[in-house]
Structure formats: structure tokens, C-alpha cells
Amino acid sequence: MAYKNYALVKSGFVFNLIVLDKPSEEDLETFRVENDADEIIEEAKGCTMGALWDGVKFTPPRPFDSWVLTADNEWEPPIPKPVPQTLEEFGYAYSWNESDLRWDRIN
């Protein structure tokens, strides 16, 4: 089996992800038309729903308004996520608080 990942794109946004086994060009075109997609991108590994397709690469959806896109095509918060400094801190999880622009400990 030669399964491949495909992204269905409309107006530059990924609205569906599918996995197909060796579809023909005709099958892909039929699938594109039936799903009202502008295009189907083959080998969409690592792509997520809502990602932006610029014709070259996928950009993941922006998680929060305050985050900025880096040169590595990754979203970065305005304040880095806390890094554990002690053994006790290694068990903590954090969640981004967009209202206060800070990381909140959630456990």
C-alpha cells in the first residue's frame, strides 16, 4: 500500500485532510470538484485543518492573536513558555492566557 496524505484547499485555507491509496489523476480531480476545493495538495504531511497554503508551504493556524510567525514558520508567544528550573517543576503543565498575555500553571 502506498498511502499518501492530501490537503483540500479553498481560498488558501485547508478545509479537509484525507489519506488515499494510489488515486488516479481523474479520481483526484473528481474528488476536488465534488468537494468544491480549489486544489488538492499531495504529500500534506504535518498539515493541520485551518492551515494556510501559500502555494509553497503550509502555515499552521495562529493559536492566539498575540503570537507572531517566526522565520521557521512556527508561531511564537510574546513570552516564552516557562522552563522547569527544579525537579518539582517538571510535572507542571502550562496554558497560554491570552487576556493577560501570560502562561498559567494548570496543575
Side-chain angles (χ1 to χ4, degrees), residues 63-67 77-79 81-82 94-106:
F64 298 97
D65 289 340
S66 64
W67 292 33
I79 298 169
K81 189 173 184 177
Y94 293 88
S95 176
W96 179 250
N97 180 329
E98 183 68 8
S99 300
D100 297 329
L101 300 177
R102 70 172 191 224
W103 290 97
D104 290 336
R105 196 171 82 191
I106 58 174

Side-chain angles (χ1 to χ4, degrees), residues 5 9 35-37 57 77 92 96 102:
N5 299 307
V9 177
N35 287 276
D36 195 31
K57 67 183 179 314
Y92 297 147
W96 179 250
R102 70 172 191 224

